[in-house]
Amino acid sequence: MLHETYRLVYGRDMTSRKRAHIAMFSIAAPGHVNPSIEVIRELVARGHRVSYAIPASFADRVAVTGADPVIYTSTLPTEDNPEAWGTELIDNVEPFLNDAVQALPQLAEAFTGDVPDLVIHDITSYPARVLAHRWGVPAVSLSPNLVAWEGYGEEVAEPMFAELKQSERGKAYYARFRAWLDENGLSGTDPDRFMGRPRRSIVLIPKVLQPNADRVDESVYSFVGACQGDRADQGDWQRPAGADKVLLVSLGSTFTKQPGFYRECVKAFGDLPGWHVVLQIGKYVDESELGEVPANIEVHSWVPQLAVLKQADAFITHAGAGGSQEGLATGTPMVAVPQAVDQFGNADMLVSLGVARRIDTEDATADALRAAVLGLLDDPEVVHRAEEIRLGMASEGGTQRAADLIEAELPVG
């Protein structure tokens, strides 16, 4: 139905478009690659040739979609060393410019003689926009998280960056950014607008997770909701016989050095009558650090999260963009324990939607966690609201609509 709607809106059958060369650009981070995977798989299935620029550590993940990995060397910190991002705002933004400056020549050379018809890119891939300008082809941002609304600059960005812009390090950063843009044919372009204001953006999150959604310019930003696919390649999970309730606990893949938190989870739900717990502890914590683990808790360094959530009754999450929308897409009530960056805002948004409770890490005791989870499931309004949001997300279009919108940006003729 959605596909037919878009055929009528754009006045042409999207499936009959000529085979195009589409270039995707991203960074080596699960939260930036994973949201795009199913969209890329769909574009390939529609007959397009997709080149996906990515560091080698994610090449296999890209290749299974049918896209051609274009390998480049990145200087960005990886999920193995999150501490390298530092503690100040400048520590979080400077690495992206540094990486862009050194990656641009690599990427330009990789596409010599093979210029794409369209560039799609993660929000962090500055070289993608420069190359699209150089090549004279359209560029479309794929945003894995919230986007700017009308008034965002005055309300959020300006206060956040004011101190940085007055510091010597901040002034040097902006001067270098402007010089880099000037050198690459984007003279006069404001770095803040370059980073945060794309010409066209497809937003890979449900609209309910977007703050001030009523003030987002939908001529620029199109929300398509979760693009999850069946994730069959990640494996399956089966609910144990006799489990009345299933709880998934996961802090994602990066901010998982939390043995104390996991011990509190074991204490909270171990031997709780009728409950089965799937506890993902990541690769930085050894199961031996948890002490004695009761039989109703299975411990893994990694689990096929979506497969578990489809059968879970509750979800303790760090409220990353991926986990938040997977919890919403499966109608699973959540306890949000945010760890970093956008997770705090996501946690508050989930709470405001009526489907979650927030507990900060320092307050995440066994008693608090147990009370939050049991309280969620005892509240019929939470269950009703979770199901209402799940149904609403299912109507946003997801992968099919994202691919339709990308095809609509391809040059005609």
Side-chain angles (χ1 to χ4, degrees):
M1 182 64 186
L2 277 169
H3 191 80
E4 176 64 14
T5 299
Y6 275 83
R7 185 189 68 78
L8 294 172
V9 168
Y10 292 113
R12 57 186 183 272
D13 185 349
M14 304 302 258
T15 61
S16 68
R17 292 192 63 87
K18 71 174 184 177
R19 185 174 188 263
H21 178 200
I22 300 171
M24 170 67 188
F25 296 77
S26 192
I27 62 172
H32 292 264
V33 174
N34 291 346
S36 73
I37 286 295
E38 293 305 320
V39 179
I40 300 304
R41 195 191 308 274
E42 176 63 20
L43 290 171
V44 172
R46 294 185 182 194
H48 301 297
R49 179 165 69 92
V50 180
S51 301
Y52 198 124
I54 193 71
S57 58
F58 277 72
D60 289 345
R61 196 174 309 195
V62 165
V64 297
T65 68
D68 300 318
V70 175
I71 307 302
Y72 72 94
T73 300
S74 173
T75 59
L76 289 175
T78 68
E79 60 181 341
D80 290 329
N81 60 335
E83 298 86 357
W85 285 105
T87 57
E88 299 180 24
L89 179 57
I90 187 66
D91 297 328
N92 296 157
V93 299
E94 203 171 46
F96 291 106
L97 177 59
N98 293 341
D99 192 51
V101 171
Q102 67 86 34
L104 180 60
Q106 298 179 57
L107 294 168
E109 182 178 359
F111 284 93
T112 298
D114 193 25
V115 172
D117 301 295
L118 175 70
V119 164
I120 55 178
H121 62 91
D122 181 73
I123 55 175
T124 59
S125 184
Y126 305 159
R129 293 188 62 186
V130 169
L131 289 171
H133 175 78
R134 182 182 299 180
W135 295 329
V137 302
V140 179
S141 164
L142 302 187
S143 179
N145 48 29
L146 63 88
V147 297
W149 57 87
E150 296 304 313
Y152 174 85
E154 298 81 3
E155 297 166 17
V156 179
E158 289 178 12
M160 182 187 301
F161 282 83
E163 184 176 347
L164 182 150
K165 290 183 176 181
Q166 295 304 311
S167 70
E168 289 306 311
R169 189 176 168 191
K171 290 177 181 178
Y173 162 77
Y174 274 98
R176 185 177 178 223
F177 209 142
R178 292 189 187 93
W180 183 69
L181 292 171
D182 289 347
E183 292 167 6
N184 287 285
L186 293 165
S187 181
T189 302
D190 177 68
D192 289 334
R193 291 196 66 84
F194 177 84
M195 289 184 284
R197 296 285 181 167
R199 178 195 66 85
R200 186 76 175 91
S201 179
I202 296 169
V203 191
L204 307 177
I205 65 169
K207 195 172 182 180
V208 294
L209 275 179
Q210 170 65 42
N212 301 303
D214 59 327
R215 288 195 276 154
V216 172
D217 183 354
E218 295 199 35
S219 69
V220 174
Y221 300 101
S222 296
F223 291 87
V224 299
C227 299
Q228 295 171 339
D230 62 15
R231 306 273 179 89
D233 59 316
Q234 294 186 358
D236 198 9
W237 182 85
Q238 293 298 320
R239 186 185 185 111
D244 295 330
K245 300 291 184 183
V246 169
L247 168 68
L248 171 63
V249 180
S250 172
L251 298 180
S253 60
T254 302
F255 301 98
T256 60
K257 293 181 182 179
Q258 298 286 352
F261 169 76
Y262 301 133
R263 285 192 291 270
E264 292 298 313
C265 290
V266 170
K267 181 179 176 182
F269 303 103
D271 294 327
L272 191 64
W275 281 81
H276 182 83
V277 180
V278 180
L279 178 59
Q280 176 178 294
I281 60 174
K283 58 187 177 182
Y284 305 115
V285 175
D286 191 271
E287 185 175 348
S288 63
E289 297 179 68
L290 306 184
E292 185 176 350
V293 178
N296 71 317
I297 298 179
E298 56 177 279
V299 181
H300 304 276
S301 60
W302 180 89
V303 298
Q305 182 163 287
L306 189 59
V308 179
L309 283 175
K310 288 178 178 179
Q311 303 171 69
D313 299 281
F315 182 23
I316 296 179
T317 172
H318 66 310
S324 296
Q325 63 182 304
E326 287 176 4
L328 292 175
T330 54
T332 311
M334 289 172 271
V335 173
V337 187
Q339 301 296 304
V341 290
D342 62 332
Q343 296 160 20
F344 299 99
N346 291 339
D348 290 340
M349 182 62 73
L350 292 171
V351 171
S352 73
L353 291 173
V355 298
R357 305 284 188 267
R358 172 176 167 173
I359 302 177
D360 291 333
T361 303
E362 59 270 22
D363 300 321
T365 63
D367 289 343
L369 291 166
R370 183 169 56 249
V373 168
L374 297 181
L376 279 171
L377 298 193
D378 284 342
D379 187 341
E381 184 56 32
V382 170
V383 177
H384 169 74
R385 184 63 178 140
E387 178 63 10
E388 186 177 59
I389 291 173
R390 185 189 71 79
L391 292 173
M393 284 180 62
S395 69
E396 288 184 298
T399 301
Q400 294 291 325
R401 185 178 175 215
D404 286 346
L405 291 168
I406 289 169
E407 287 188 321
E409 295 296 321
L410 285 167
V412 177

